[in-house]
Amino acid sequence: MKSRYVSQWIDEFLQARPIRANSLIITVYGDSIAPHGGTVWLGSFIKLVETFGLNQRMVRTSVFRLSKERWLVSEQIGRRSFYSLTATGRRRFEHAYRRIYYEPKTQWNGDWQIVLTTGSGLSAAQRDAMRKELLWEGYGVIAPGVLAHPSANVEALLDILQGTGVHDRVVTLQARSIGALSSRALQDLVRECWNLEAIAREYKLFVEHFRPVLRALKSARALDPEQCFAVRTLLMHEFRRVLLRDPQLPQQLLPADWPGHAARQLCRDLYVMTQHEAEAHLMSVLETASGPLPEAAPYFYERFGGLDSLPAEDATQTVAP
């Protein structure tokens, strides 16, 4: 049985924070469909996203645009169209969701990853593509032609440089801070390169929006699968939006009361709580060319430190009232 409060919360959330169809479809593919093989029949996908107020025309228009932008690729089998993530789309998701589902490093030894792009013969398109990908990964522009990040993932950096075709046209360096790792000069550099105050406000709003629905689900006698899918999708859509603006700097460079920690804990708790019912809804609605949606790949259960490590009924105990 659907919760009246949760239904009202979903409606009010969508009214207060209108979501572009393209962006929501990317969230659904990245969070829900990719672990299940990444390919589904468009007709079943249209039915899945009806809960967000998207009609057939809006979805068809959006998937066409996403195909043009190389996020999705279609295959026609008989009279049915099946859409999958492209290799480019998968790479973008891997970068984004590695930051979303896995805890950032808490300790920092002062290392920096630095990318120098000046005088490297990059085309304007290559420079823009690389810069966009690096900013998504949390790099900051510390000087003209110089992007840097403390404790960034080296594999992700190399993947970005390879994927944008600039690996042999830029200079990458590793450097190390000399002196105190929380000096005033470093704090000033962080404030200049990353707008942490704006990100902190976004995290606080995230907590304000999602804490009430977590409490409502905790008090419900039973959880509705479609509502759980809707809540999980909106949760990840909003958390992704905020987190991808967060450079995920080391603890030493963050304010003492950084709200990102509480936001991540809330996100994990709500994700764990809705996991089983949301997955059941996906399995009951989506179809592939071979029939029902396959089970999620093992890596899905590694999200947020292990989805099975915290029972759903206990998931809310860590959230302060």
Side-chain angles (χ1 to χ4, degrees):
M1 181 177 178
K2 293 183 182 295
S3 163
R4 183 179 301 178
Y5 175 86
V6 174
S7 293
Q8 182 180 352
W9 181 91
I10 293 170
D11 290 342
E12 291 177 352
F13 187 95
L14 292 172
Q15 290 174 9
R17 303 177 74 82
I19 296 174
R20 293 189 303 112
N22 290 24
S23 183
L24 184 66
I25 289 171
I26 289 173
T27 295
V28 174
Y29 259 89
D31 182 63
S32 296
I33 296 176
H36 291 273
T39 304
V40 295
W41 171 44
L42 180 59
S44 65
F45 183 81
I46 291 172
K47 182 178 179 182
L48 180 72
V49 297
E50 284 177 351
T51 188
F52 304 108
L54 302 183
N55 59 39
Q56 181 175 159
R57 181 185 59 80
M58 295 170 66
V59 176
R60 290 186 182 277
T61 300
S62 293
V63 297
F64 176 76
R65 289 175 179 169
L66 290 170
S67 298
K68 298 275 285 186
E69 295 171 3
R70 298 175 58 199
W71 279 97
L72 300 176
V73 61
S74 65
E75 179 183 7
Q76 195 76 20
I77 302 178
R79 301 180 65 180
R80 289 185 165 189
S81 297
F82 296 84
Y83 279 82
S84 312
L85 291 170
T86 62
T88 300
R90 284 187 176 275
R91 180 171 58 82
R92 290 171 177 172
F93 280 128
E94 287 171 2
H95 291 162
Y97 287 96
R98 179 168 46 231
R99 297 173 61 197
I100 291 172
Y101 297 124
Y102 301 104
E103 287 285 345
K105 294 180 180 179
T106 56
Q107 295 300 318
W108 182 52
N109 60 4
D111 283 350
W112 291 78
Q113 306 293 340
I114 300 176
V115 181
L116 307 179
T117 65
T118 54
S120 53
L122 295 174
S123 67
Q126 286 177 319
R127 190 184 304 277
D128 289 345
M130 180 200 65
R131 189 175 186 276
K132 186 176 182 179
E133 295 275 358
L134 289 176
L135 292 176
W136 276 355
E137 193 64 24
Y139 281 72
V141 180
I142 64 173
V146 182
L147 293 96
H149 192 288
S151 72
N153 184 291
V154 177
E155 292 182 4
L157 171 61
L158 296 178
D159 192 26
I160 289 171
L161 299 182
Q162 289 280 352
T164 53
V166 303
H167 59 284
D168 58 349
R169 299 192 177 191
V170 299
V171 176
T172 55
L173 303 172
Q174 251 189 340
R176 174 167 291 187
S177 298
I178 298 176
L181 300 184
S182 57
S183 67
R184 181 172 179 177
L186 276 178
Q187 298 290 341
D188 290 342
L189 176 65
V190 167
R191 282 193 293 271
E192 291 173 5
C193 296
W194 293 280
N195 190 350
L196 295 185
E197 290 184 1
I199 298 169
R201 288 194 296 270
E202 291 292 324
Y203 274 133
K204 291 176 182 178
L205 286 174
F206 173 85
V207 172
E208 290 177 10
H209 287 142
F210 285 94
R211 182 172 283 161
V213 75
L214 177 57
R215 291 177 178 149
L217 292 174
K218 178 183 177 182
S219 63
R221 292 184 178 180
L223 301 181
D224 178 77
E226 185 177 16
Q227 287 186 335
C228 285
F229 165 73
V231 168
R232 188 179 85 173
T233 300
L234 294 176
L235 172 79
M236 296 314 299
H237 188 81
E238 193 69 7
F239 192 61
R240 177 172 69 98
R241 185 188 67 79
V242 179
L243 187 66
L244 292 186
R245 298 178 183 178
D246 182 357
Q248 292 191 298
L249 301 177
Q251 186 69 35
Q252 295 99 314
L253 300 179
L254 292 173
D257 57 348
W258 182 241
H261 304 316
R264 174 172 288 277
Q265 185 63 56
L266 172 61
C267 183
R268 179 183 185 273
D269 291 347
L270 192 45
Y271 199 95
V272 170
M273 185 165 203
T274 56
Q275 170 201 343
H276 296 291
E277 286 74 16
E279 289 295 295
H281 184 65
L282 290 173
M283 302 295 288
S284 69
V285 174
L286 293 178
E287 298 180 38
T288 72
S290 302
L293 196 68
E295 294 289 338
Y299 76 82
F300 170 78
Y301 298 97
E302 297 174 2
R303 292 176 174 180
F304 294 107
L307 294 180
D308 291 334
S309 63
L310 184 62
E313 61 269 21
D314 295 334
T316 60
Q317 298 303 315
T318 56
V319 179

